[in-house]
Amino acid sequence: MSLSTTAAPTVRPYQSYVYAYPHKTAYRPLADRPGLRELWAAERKDALSLYLHIPFCEVRCGFCNLFTRIGAPDELTTRYLDALDRQATAVREALGDDGPVRFAAAAFGGGTPTFLTAAELERLCDIAEKRMGADLRSVPLSVETSPSTATADRLAVLAERGTTRISIGVQSFVEAEARAAVRPQRRADVEAALDRIRDARIPVLNIDLIYGIDGQTEDSWRASLDAALGWRPEELYLYPLYVRPLTGLGRLDAEAGAADAAWDEQRLRLYRAGRDHLLAHGYEQVSMRMFRRADVPRTDGPDDYACQTDGMIGLGCGARSYTTRLHYSFDYAVEMRQVRAIIDGYAATEDFSRAQVGRYVDGDEARRRHLLQSVLQAEGLRLADYRERFGTSPADDFPGELARFEERGWLDAPAGASGLLRLSPEGLAHSDALGPELFSPGVRAAMAAYELK
Protein backbone atom coordinates (compact mmCIF):
# COMPACT_ATOMS: atom_id res chain seq x y z
CA MET A 1 0.00 0.00 0.00
CA SER A 2 1.34 3.44 -0.90
CA LEU A 3 2.17 5.83 1.90
CA SER A 4 1.73 8.89 -0.33
CA THR A 5 -0.36 11.78 0.90
CA THR A 6 -1.29 15.17 -0.44
CA ALA A 7 -1.52 16.84 2.97
CA ALA A 8 0.15 20.23 2.98
CA PRO A 9 2.99 20.75 5.44
CA THR A 10 2.21 22.89 8.46
CA VAL A 11 5.85 23.88 8.95
CA ARG A 12 8.78 24.19 6.58
CA PRO A 13 9.94 20.59 6.14
CA TYR A 14 13.59 21.24 5.22
CA GLN A 15 15.33 23.18 7.94
CA SER A 16 18.41 21.21 8.97
CA TYR A 17 19.82 17.72 8.54
CA VAL A 18 20.56 16.54 12.09
CA TYR A 19 23.50 14.24 11.45
CA ALA A 20 25.17 15.18 14.75
CA TYR A 21 24.03 16.93 17.91
CA PRO A 22 25.20 19.40 18.99
CA HIS A 23 26.28 20.65 15.56
CA LYS A 24 29.85 21.86 15.09
CA THR A 25 28.62 25.44 14.82
CA ALA A 26 27.78 25.17 18.54
CA TYR A 27 31.39 24.19 19.34
CA ARG A 28 33.79 26.80 20.69
CA PRO A 29 37.51 26.91 21.56
CA LEU A 30 38.00 25.12 24.89
CA ALA A 31 39.61 27.49 27.36
CA ASP A 32 40.92 24.66 29.52
CA ARG A 33 42.18 22.57 26.56
CA PRO A 34 41.70 19.33 28.51
CA GLY A 35 44.18 16.52 28.05
CA LEU A 36 42.91 13.47 26.19
CA ARG A 37 44.22 11.12 28.86
CA GLU A 38 42.05 12.92 31.44
CA LEU A 39 39.01 12.97 29.13
CA TRP A 40 39.12 9.24 28.41
CA ALA A 41 40.25 8.00 31.84
CA ALA A 42 36.77 7.13 33.13
CA GLU A 43 35.23 6.18 29.77
CA ARG A 44 34.35 2.68 28.63
CA LYS A 45 36.79 1.71 25.91
CA ASP A 46 35.76 -1.84 25.05
CA ALA A 47 33.42 -1.00 22.11
CA LEU A 48 34.75 2.20 20.55
CA SER A 49 33.98 3.53 17.09
CA LEU A 50 36.86 4.80 14.96
CA TYR A 51 36.50 7.43 12.24
CA LEU A 52 39.35 8.65 10.00
CA HIS A 53 38.70 11.83 8.02
CA ILE A 54 40.34 12.56 4.65
CA PRO A 55 39.55 16.17 3.62
CA PHE A 56 40.32 15.96 -0.11
CA CYS A 57 38.13 15.75 -3.21
CA GLU A 58 38.80 15.88 -6.94
CA VAL A 59 35.93 18.40 -7.32
CA ARG A 60 33.69 20.23 -4.86
CA CYS A 61 30.01 19.69 -5.58
CA GLY A 62 27.77 22.74 -5.61
CA PHE A 63 25.67 21.52 -2.67
CA CYS A 64 28.61 20.43 -0.50
CA ASN A 65 29.37 22.06 2.86
CA LEU A 66 31.58 19.23 4.09
CA PHE A 67 35.02 19.98 5.43
CA THR A 68 37.07 19.31 2.31
CA ARG A 69 39.25 20.97 -0.31
CA ILE A 70 39.89 20.40 -4.01
CA GLY A 71 43.18 18.70 -4.70
CA ALA A 72 46.28 18.30 -2.57
CA PRO A 73 49.32 20.15 -3.95
CA ASP A 74 52.92 19.96 -2.74
CA GLU A 75 52.68 16.45 -1.28
CA LEU A 76 49.90 17.59 1.07
CA THR A 77 48.45 14.08 1.32
CA THR A 78 51.80 12.82 2.61
CA ARG A 79 52.02 15.59 5.18
CA TYR A 80 48.40 15.03 6.17
CA LEU A 81 48.93 11.30 6.68
CA ASP A 82 52.06 12.08 8.70
CA ALA A 83 49.93 14.28 10.98
CA LEU A 84 47.21 11.62 11.14
CA ASP A 85 49.87 9.14 12.25
CA ARG A 86 51.06 11.53 14.97
CA GLN A 87 47.50 12.12 16.14
CA ALA A 88 46.71 8.40 16.23
CA THR A 89 49.84 7.75 18.29
CA ALA A 90 48.88 10.47 20.78
CA VAL A 91 45.26 9.31 21.05
CA ARG A 92 46.15 5.65 21.54
CA GLU A 93 48.61 6.65 24.26
CA ALA A 94 45.90 8.72 25.94
CA LEU A 95 43.50 5.75 25.95
CA GLY A 96 45.98 3.93 28.16
CA ASP A 97 46.29 0.25 28.92
CA ASP A 98 44.61 0.03 32.31
CA GLY A 99 41.59 -1.68 30.77
CA PRO A 100 40.50 -3.27 27.50
CA VAL A 101 40.67 -1.02 24.43
CA ARG A 102 38.68 -2.44 21.53
CA PHE A 103 37.15 -0.97 18.40
CA ALA A 104 33.77 -2.36 17.35
CA ALA A 105 33.37 -0.36 14.11
CA ALA A 106 35.44 1.81 11.78
CA ALA A 107 34.81 4.25 8.94
CA PHE A 108 36.85 6.32 6.51
CA GLY A 109 35.05 9.49 5.41
CA GLY A 110 35.69 12.91 4.02
CA GLY A 111 35.99 14.46 1.64
CA THR A 112 36.73 11.44 -0.43
CA PRO A 113 39.01 8.85 1.19
CA THR A 114 39.64 7.24 -2.20
CA PHE A 115 41.21 10.51 -3.34
CA LEU A 116 44.26 8.84 -1.77
CA THR A 117 46.30 6.51 -3.95
CA ALA A 118 46.22 2.75 -3.34
CA ALA A 119 49.53 2.97 -1.46
CA GLU A 120 48.21 5.84 0.65
CA LEU A 121 45.07 3.83 1.45
CA GLU A 122 47.34 1.02 2.65
CA ARG A 123 49.01 3.53 4.95
CA LEU A 124 45.63 4.79 6.17
CA CYS A 125 44.64 1.23 7.10
CA ASP A 126 47.99 0.76 8.82
CA ILE A 127 47.35 3.85 10.95
CA ALA A 128 44.00 2.43 12.03
CA GLU A 129 45.46 -0.99 12.78
CA LYS A 130 49.05 -0.48 13.91
CA ARG A 131 48.63 2.84 15.72
CA MET A 132 45.09 2.54 17.06
CA GLY A 133 44.84 -1.24 17.38
CA ALA A 134 41.67 -1.65 15.31
CA ASP A 135 41.24 -5.04 13.63
CA LEU A 136 39.72 -3.89 10.36
CA ARG A 137 39.11 -7.42 9.08
CA SER A 138 36.94 -8.38 12.03
CA VAL A 139 34.74 -5.29 12.47
CA PRO A 140 32.37 -3.39 10.14
CA LEU A 141 34.42 -0.96 8.00
CA SER A 142 32.63 1.64 5.87
CA VAL A 143 34.42 3.75 3.24
CA GLU A 144 33.14 6.62 1.09
CA THR A 145 34.11 6.93 -2.56
CA SER A 146 33.23 8.78 -5.77
CA PRO A 147 32.83 7.63 -9.38
CA SER A 148 36.18 9.02 -10.53
CA THR A 149 38.21 7.66 -7.61
CA ALA A 150 36.66 4.18 -7.31
CA THR A 151 39.52 2.64 -9.30
CA ALA A 152 40.30 -1.06 -9.36
CA ASP A 153 43.60 -0.74 -7.48
CA ARG A 154 42.06 1.34 -4.68
CA LEU A 155 39.07 -0.97 -4.34
CA ALA A 156 41.38 -4.00 -4.22
CA VAL A 157 43.20 -2.47 -1.24
CA LEU A 158 39.95 -1.72 0.56
CA ALA A 159 38.54 -5.19 -0.07
CA GLU A 160 41.73 -6.90 1.07
CA ARG A 161 41.88 -4.79 4.24
CA GLY A 162 38.39 -5.78 5.31
CA THR A 163 35.98 -3.14 3.98
CA THR A 164 32.42 -4.35 4.48
CA ARG A 165 30.54 -1.33 3.10
CA ILE A 166 31.32 1.19 0.38
CA SER A 167 29.22 4.29 -0.20
CA ILE A 168 29.34 6.10 -3.53
CA GLY A 169 27.90 9.55 -4.14
CA VAL A 170 26.11 9.38 -7.48
CA GLN A 171 23.40 12.01 -6.72
CA SER A 172 21.77 11.62 -10.15
CA PHE A 173 22.11 9.29 -13.14
CA VAL A 174 20.76 12.12 -15.32
CA GLU A 175 23.75 14.09 -16.59
CA ALA A 176 21.85 17.37 -16.89
CA GLU A 177 20.79 17.11 -13.25
CA ALA A 178 24.34 16.34 -12.15
CA ARG A 179 25.50 19.49 -13.95
CA ALA A 180 22.71 21.50 -12.31
CA ALA A 181 24.01 20.34 -8.91
CA VAL A 182 27.50 21.48 -9.97
CA ARG A 183 28.68 17.88 -10.08
CA PRO A 184 29.81 17.28 -13.65
CA GLN A 185 29.98 13.55 -14.41
CA ARG A 186 29.21 11.14 -17.23
CA ARG A 187 26.73 8.36 -16.59
CA ALA A 188 29.06 5.93 -18.34
CA ASP A 189 31.78 6.74 -15.80
CA VAL A 190 29.35 6.25 -12.91
CA GLU A 191 28.29 2.86 -14.24
CA ALA A 192 31.90 1.80 -14.81
CA ALA A 193 32.66 2.67 -11.17
CA LEU A 194 29.68 0.65 -9.97
CA ASP A 195 30.91 -2.28 -12.08
CA ARG A 196 34.29 -2.08 -10.40
CA ILE A 197 32.74 -1.92 -6.93
CA ARG A 198 30.66 -5.01 -7.57
CA ASP A 199 33.73 -6.78 -9.01
CA ALA A 200 35.59 -6.02 -5.76
CA ARG A 201 32.93 -8.07 -3.87
CA ILE A 202 32.63 -5.66 -0.98
CA PRO A 203 29.51 -6.95 0.81
CA VAL A 204 27.44 -3.76 1.09
CA LEU A 205 27.06 -1.15 -1.63
CA ASN A 206 25.33 2.12 -0.77
CA ILE A 207 24.33 4.62 -3.46
CA ASP A 208 23.58 8.25 -2.54
CA LEU A 209 20.95 10.07 -4.60
CA ILE A 210 19.65 13.65 -4.29
CA TYR A 211 16.15 15.00 -4.95
CA GLY A 212 15.12 18.62 -5.42
CA ILE A 213 17.65 19.45 -8.15
CA ASP A 214 16.69 22.24 -10.53
CA GLY A 215 14.77 20.76 -13.45
CA GLN A 216 14.23 17.38 -11.78
CA THR A 217 10.79 15.81 -12.31
CA GLU A 218 9.08 12.78 -10.85
CA ASP A 219 9.87 10.93 -14.08
CA SER A 220 13.57 11.81 -14.05
CA TRP A 221 13.77 11.05 -10.31
CA ARG A 222 12.21 7.65 -10.90
CA ALA A 223 14.66 7.06 -13.75
CA SER A 224 17.59 7.67 -11.39
CA LEU A 225 16.05 5.38 -8.78
CA ASP A 226 15.54 2.64 -11.37
CA ALA A 227 19.10 3.05 -12.61
CA ALA A 228 20.36 2.63 -9.05
CA LEU A 229 18.09 -0.37 -8.44
CA GLY A 230 19.67 -2.05 -11.43
CA TRP A 231 22.76 -2.57 -9.28
CA ARG A 232 20.77 -4.16 -6.46
CA PRO A 233 22.45 -1.97 -3.84
CA GLU A 234 22.14 -3.22 -0.30
CA GLU A 235 21.48 0.37 0.80
CA LEU A 236 20.23 3.59 -0.76
CA TYR A 237 20.35 7.05 0.78
CA LEU A 238 17.92 9.65 -0.57
CA TYR A 239 19.04 13.18 0.32
CA PRO A 240 17.03 16.37 -0.14
CA LEU A 241 19.04 19.09 -1.85
CA TYR A 242 19.97 21.99 0.41
CA VAL A 243 21.37 25.33 -0.73
CA ARG A 244 23.76 26.28 2.06
CA PRO A 245 25.74 29.47 2.64
CA LEU A 246 29.27 29.58 1.19
CA THR A 247 28.71 26.53 -1.05
CA GLY A 248 28.82 26.65 -4.83
CA LEU A 249 25.03 26.64 -5.21
CA GLY A 250 24.71 29.10 -2.34
CA ARG A 251 26.90 31.59 -4.18
CA LEU A 252 25.07 31.01 -7.45
CA ASP A 253 21.65 31.58 -5.93
CA ALA A 254 21.89 33.31 -2.56
CA GLU A 255 18.22 34.31 -2.35
CA ALA A 256 16.14 31.77 -4.24
CA GLY A 257 15.38 28.31 -2.92
CA ALA A 258 15.79 28.57 0.83
CA ALA A 259 12.49 30.45 1.28
CA ASP A 260 10.74 28.95 -1.71
CA ALA A 261 7.58 27.11 -0.64
CA ALA A 262 7.24 25.59 -4.11
CA TRP A 263 10.69 24.03 -3.75
CA ASP A 264 9.70 22.61 -0.36
CA GLU A 265 6.64 21.04 -1.96
CA GLN A 266 8.71 19.69 -4.86
CA ARG A 267 11.15 18.01 -2.47
CA LEU A 268 8.35 16.54 -0.36
CA ARG A 269 6.65 15.21 -3.47
CA LEU A 270 9.87 13.64 -4.74
CA TYR A 271 10.69 12.23 -1.30
CA ARG A 272 7.32 10.51 -1.08
CA ALA A 273 7.63 9.19 -4.63
CA GLY A 274 11.11 7.86 -3.92
CA ARG A 275 10.09 6.32 -0.61
CA ASP A 276 7.09 4.55 -2.09
CA HIS A 277 9.13 3.35 -5.08
CA LEU A 278 11.80 1.77 -2.89
CA LEU A 279 9.26 0.20 -0.53
CA ALA A 280 7.55 -1.34 -3.55
CA HIS A 281 10.90 -2.75 -4.74
CA GLY A 282 11.77 -4.66 -1.60
CA TYR A 283 13.49 -2.04 0.54
CA GLU A 284 12.71 -1.13 4.13
CA GLN A 285 12.95 2.39 5.51
CA VAL A 286 15.55 2.87 8.26
CA SER A 287 15.31 6.65 8.52
CA MET A 288 14.13 9.55 6.42
CA ARG A 289 17.26 9.13 4.27
CA MET A 290 18.29 5.51 4.60
CA PHE A 291 16.70 2.52 2.88
CA ARG A 292 17.97 -1.05 3.19
CA ARG A 293 17.18 -4.00 0.97
CA ALA A 294 14.86 -6.17 3.02
CA ASP A 295 16.75 -9.39 2.29
CA VAL A 296 20.05 -8.02 3.64
CA PRO A 297 20.90 -9.45 7.08
CA ARG A 298 20.62 -6.95 9.89
CA THR A 299 23.59 -6.23 12.13
CA ASP A 300 23.49 -5.51 15.84
CA GLY A 301 25.14 -2.12 15.39
CA PRO A 302 23.48 1.27 15.06
CA ASP A 303 22.44 2.50 11.65
CA ASP A 304 21.98 6.01 10.32
CA TYR A 305 23.19 7.90 13.38
CA ALA A 306 26.02 5.59 14.42
CA CYS A 307 28.48 8.49 14.47
CA GLN A 308 26.60 10.00 17.40
CA THR A 309 27.22 7.21 19.87
CA ASP A 310 29.45 7.81 22.88
CA GLY A 311 32.90 6.30 22.60
CA MET A 312 33.70 7.77 19.20
CA ILE A 313 37.34 8.41 18.29
CA GLY A 314 37.75 10.79 15.36
CA LEU A 315 41.12 11.26 13.67
CA GLY A 316 41.75 14.01 11.13
CA CYS A 317 41.05 17.71 11.03
CA GLY A 318 37.33 17.35 10.23
CA ALA A 319 36.55 14.49 12.61
CA ARG A 320 34.56 14.67 15.83
CA SER A 321 35.26 12.66 18.98
CA TYR A 322 32.64 11.90 21.62
CA THR A 323 33.05 11.13 25.28
CA THR A 324 30.07 11.04 27.61
CA ARG A 325 30.68 14.63 28.71
CA LEU A 326 32.57 16.35 25.89
CA HIS A 327 32.28 16.45 22.11
CA TYR A 328 35.44 17.82 20.53
CA SER A 329 37.14 18.34 17.18
CA PHE A 330 39.22 20.93 15.38
CA ASP A 331 38.02 24.24 13.92
CA TYR A 332 35.27 24.15 11.31
CA ALA A 333 34.82 26.07 8.06
CA VAL A 334 33.10 25.84 4.67
CA GLU A 335 34.74 28.64 2.67
CA MET A 336 37.67 27.24 0.70
CA ARG A 337 40.43 29.55 1.94
CA GLN A 338 39.46 28.90 5.54
CA VAL A 339 39.35 25.13 4.96
CA ARG A 340 42.79 25.17 3.38
CA ALA A 341 44.23 27.11 6.29
CA ILE A 342 42.81 24.65 8.83
CA ILE A 343 44.12 21.64 6.87
CA ASP A 344 47.56 23.24 6.57
CA GLY A 345 47.55 23.96 10.29
CA TYR A 346 46.57 20.40 11.09
CA ALA A 347 49.32 18.98 8.88
CA ALA A 348 51.90 21.07 10.76
CA THR A 349 50.64 20.14 14.25
CA GLU A 350 53.03 18.17 16.44
CA ASP A 351 51.11 18.01 19.74
CA PHE A 352 47.76 16.21 19.60
CA SER A 353 47.49 15.48 23.31
CA ARG A 354 44.71 18.00 24.08
CA ALA A 355 41.19 18.79 22.90
CA GLN A 356 41.02 22.19 21.25
CA VAL A 357 37.45 22.93 20.13
CA GLY A 358 34.24 21.39 21.43
CA ARG A 359 31.17 21.53 23.62
CA TYR A 360 30.45 19.97 26.99
CA VAL A 361 27.30 17.85 27.11
CA ASP A 362 25.32 18.05 30.36
CA GLY A 363 22.39 15.91 31.48
CA ASP A 364 19.77 17.83 29.53
CA GLU A 365 21.83 17.75 26.33
CA ALA A 366 22.45 14.02 26.77
CA ARG A 367 18.67 13.47 26.95
CA ARG A 368 18.09 15.55 23.83
CA ARG A 369 20.84 13.77 21.96
CA HIS A 370 19.56 10.32 22.92
CA LEU A 371 16.03 11.26 21.87
CA LEU A 372 17.22 12.69 18.57
CA GLN A 373 19.43 9.79 17.57
CA SER A 374 16.65 7.32 18.43
CA VAL A 375 13.39 8.90 17.31
CA LEU A 376 14.76 9.86 13.89
CA GLN A 377 15.15 6.14 13.19
CA ALA A 378 12.10 4.45 11.68
CA GLU A 379 12.01 1.81 14.43
CA GLY A 380 11.73 4.51 17.08
CA LEU A 381 12.82 4.88 20.70
CA ARG A 382 12.29 2.14 23.28
CA LEU A 383 10.80 3.91 26.26
CA ALA A 384 12.20 1.33 28.68
CA ASP A 385 15.74 2.01 27.43
CA TYR A 386 15.28 5.74 27.93
CA ARG A 387 13.93 5.26 31.46
CA GLU A 388 16.74 2.86 32.36
CA ARG A 389 19.33 5.41 31.23
CA PHE A 390 17.81 8.62 32.58
CA GLY A 391 15.22 7.60 35.16
CA THR A 392 12.50 9.57 33.37
CA SER A 393 10.41 9.34 30.20
CA PRO A 394 10.54 11.53 27.08
CA ALA A 395 7.05 12.78 27.99
CA ASP A 396 8.43 13.98 31.35
CA ASP A 397 11.41 15.72 29.76
CA PHE A 398 9.93 17.06 26.50
CA PRO A 399 6.16 17.51 27.02
CA GLY A 400 5.82 20.62 24.86
CA GLU A 401 7.78 19.28 21.91
CA LEU A 402 6.01 15.91 21.91
CA ALA A 403 2.61 17.59 22.18
CA ARG A 404 3.39 19.67 19.07
CA PHE A 405 4.59 16.61 17.18
CA GLU A 406 1.42 14.72 18.11
CA GLU A 407 -0.78 17.64 17.05
CA ARG A 408 0.92 17.70 13.63
CA GLY A 409 0.41 13.98 13.13
CA TRP A 410 4.12 13.24 13.33
CA LEU A 411 3.86 10.53 16.01
CA ASP A 412 2.70 6.93 15.57
CA ALA A 413 0.20 6.79 18.44
CA PRO A 414 -0.41 3.01 18.39
CA ALA A 415 3.32 2.38 18.86
CA GLY A 416 3.02 3.57 22.45
CA ALA A 417 1.15 0.39 23.34
CA SER A 418 4.30 -1.52 22.35
CA GLY A 419 6.52 0.67 24.51
CA LEU A 420 7.85 2.74 21.60
CA LEU A 421 8.04 6.42 20.78
CA ARG A 422 7.95 6.25 17.01
CA LEU A 423 7.35 8.67 14.17
CA SER A 424 4.50 8.29 11.72
CA PRO A 425 5.33 8.21 8.00
CA GLU A 426 4.72 11.96 7.87
CA GLY A 427 6.87 12.44 10.95
CA LEU A 428 9.73 10.71 9.19
CA ALA A 429 9.10 12.86 6.11
CA HIS A 430 9.50 15.94 8.31
CA SER A 431 12.62 14.74 10.15
CA ASP A 432 14.53 17.85 9.07
CA ALA A 433 11.92 20.03 10.78
CA LEU A 434 11.33 17.83 13.81
CA GLY A 435 15.00 17.39 14.69
CA PRO A 436 15.85 21.10 15.02
CA GLU A 437 12.83 21.61 17.32
CA LEU A 438 14.60 19.40 19.86
CA PHE A 439 17.71 21.59 20.00
CA SER A 440 18.26 23.20 23.39
CA PRO A 441 18.09 27.00 23.81
CA GLY A 442 21.82 27.01 24.55
CA VAL A 443 22.71 25.14 21.39
CA ARG A 444 20.37 27.32 19.33
CA ALA A 445 22.03 30.46 20.70
CA ALA A 446 25.52 29.14 20.04
CA MET A 447 24.63 28.14 16.47
CA ALA A 448 23.01 31.52 15.82
CA ALA A 449 26.08 33.34 17.14
CA TYR A 450 28.50 31.30 15.04
CA GLU A 451 30.22 33.35 12.37
CA LEU A 452 30.22 31.45 9.10
CA LYS A 453 33.63 31.09 7.54
Side-chain angles (χ1 to χ4, degrees):
M1 181 178 68
S2 171
L3 297 173
S4 296
T5 176
T6 57
T10 56
V11 295
R12 290 198 55 225
Y14 300 103
Q15 297 180 30
S16 178
Y17 172 21
V18 185
Y19 60 88
Y21 180 80
H23 189 269
K24 267 192 175 181
T25 53
Y27 291 13
R28 294 294 183 270
L30 298 167
D32 55 347
R33 297 192 69 227
L36 300 189
R37 182 178 292 276
E38 169 195 349
L39 284 176
W40 286 97
E43 299 288 319
R44 285 192 57 178
K45 298 184 279 285
D46 58 345
L48 298 169
S49 297
L50 179 64
Y51 177 77
L52 277 67
H53 176 250
I54 303 300
F56 307 112
C57 289
E58 72 278 13
V59 296
R60 185 165 178 130
C61 304
F63 51 83
C64 178
N65 74 335
L66 297 178
F67 190 91
T68 188
R69 61 160 291 164
I70 301 170
D74 303 322
E75 298 184 340
L76 180 55
T77 54
T78 298
R79 291 186 283 116
Y80 185 86
L81 289 172
D82 288 345
L84 199 67
D85 197 312
R86 292 193 298 274
Q87 186 188 7
T89 300
V91 171
R92 182 60 187 88
E93 181 179 333
L95 292 176
D97 293 308
D98 54 338
V101 176
R102 176 182 173 272
F103 291 93
F108 302 158
T112 308
T114 50
F115 179 90
L116 300 178
T117 65
E120 289 171 332
L121 286 171
E122 290 275 18
R123 186 180 180 194
L124 186 68
C125 292
D126 284 344
I127 290 171
E129 292 192 333
K130 297 178 180 179
R131 294 291 183 262
M132 294 303 301
D135 186 353
L136 298 182
R137 292 179 178 85
S138 66
V139 302
L141 170 60
S142 178
V143 182
E144 296 173 13
T145 192
S146 67
S148 64
T149 63
T151 58
D153 59 339
R154 292 175 169 105
L155 292 169
V157 168
L158 295 176
E160 195 279 328
R161 297 301 290 261
T163 301
T164 56
R165 177 183 183 271
I166 194 147
S167 178
I168 183 168
V170 172
Q171 319 315 349
S172 176
F173 283 87
V174 179
E175 292 183 11
E177 292 177 3
R179 288 194 300 271
V182 195
R183 185 190 176 91
Q185 63 187 19
R186 296 172 60 244
R187 177 167 175 170
D189 295 335
V190 171
E191 294 180 337
L194 288 165
D195 267 334
R196 292 191 294 270
I197 292 171
R198 281 312 198 193
D199 288 344
R201 299 190 181 279
I202 292 170
V204 174
L205 165 65
N206 172 69
I207 298 176
D208 289 345
L209 297 175
I210 285 181
Y211 55 92
I213 300 170
D214 187 31
Q216 191 175 48
T217 66
E218 287 192 46
D219 287 341
S220 68
W221 175 229
R222 190 172 292 108
S224 268
L225 290 166
D226 286 337
L229 289 172
W231 300 94
R232 295 278 293 159
E234 285 72 23
E235 296 174 7
L236 277 159
Y237 271 68
L238 308 185
Y239 287 96
L241 180 64
Y242 276 92
V243 174
R244 300 177 174 99
L246 303 184
T247 63
L249 287 177
R251 286 188 290 270
L252 287 172
D253 197 3
E255 295 182 0
D260 189 345
W263 191 34
D264 280 348
E265 182 52 40
Q266 179 210 18
R267 285 180 288 180
L268 266 180
R269 185 173 64 253
L270 293 175
Y271 161 78
R272 290 167 178 151
R275 174 196 63 193
D276 293 352
H277 198 63
L278 293 186
L279 293 178
H281 282 77
Y283 285 75
E284 60 182 6
Q285 187 166 19
V286 178
S287 70
M288 172 187 166
R289 287 165 171 76
M290 182 182 177
F291 295 80
R292 180 195 292 115
R293 220 174 66 208
D295 62 339
V296 174
R298 295 289 301 268
T299 65
D300 293 331
D303 289 310
D304 200 15
Y305 289 79
C307 66
Q308 291 210 67
T309 55
D310 295 332
M312 174 84 176
I313 298 285
L315 302 178
C317 60
R320 298 170 172 85
S321 294
Y322 301 127
T323 70
T324 52
R325 67 187 186 94
L326 178 68
H327 296 187
Y328 63 93
S329 65
F330 295 90
D331 201 4
Y332 171 73
V334 174
E335 199 276 325
M336 188 60 69
R337 287 172 299 176
Q338 298 279 358
V339 170
R340 288 172 178 166
I342 294 171
I343 294 172
D344 289 343
Y346 173 85
T349 298
E350 295 291 338
D351 182 5
F352 288 101
S353 65
R354 295 183 173 275
Q356 299 182 18
V357 177
R359 187 174 184 88
Y360 285 96
V361 180
D362 61 18
D364 174 69
E365 296 293 19
R367 285 173 165 81
R368 291 180 184 276
R369 182 164 167 262
H370 185 84
L371 179 60
L372 274 166
Q373 68 186 24
S374 302
V375 79
L376 293 179
Q377 300 293 299
E379 64 184 13
L381 167 67
R382 296 187 182 279
L383 297 173
D385 292 346
Y386 187 96
R387 183 171 292 280
E388 180 180 358
R389 181 169 183 178
F390 299 111
T392 56
S393 72
D396 296 330
D397 297 333
F398 306 99
E401 292 93 334
L402 294 181
R404 288 198 301 274
F405 300 160
E406 184 176 15
E407 182 180 354
R408 295 168 185 164
W410 289 357
L411 298 183
D412 178 4
S418 302
L420 294 173
L421 176 62
R422 188 166 60 198
L423 299 183
S424 67
E426 277 304 286
L428 276 178
H430 288 79
S431 291
D432 286 6
L434 184 152
E437 290 199 31
L438 291 171
F439 292 4
S440 71
V443 165
R444 289 175 184 272
M447 292 177 68
Y450 178 80
E451 184 177 346
L452 289 173
K453 58 184 179 181

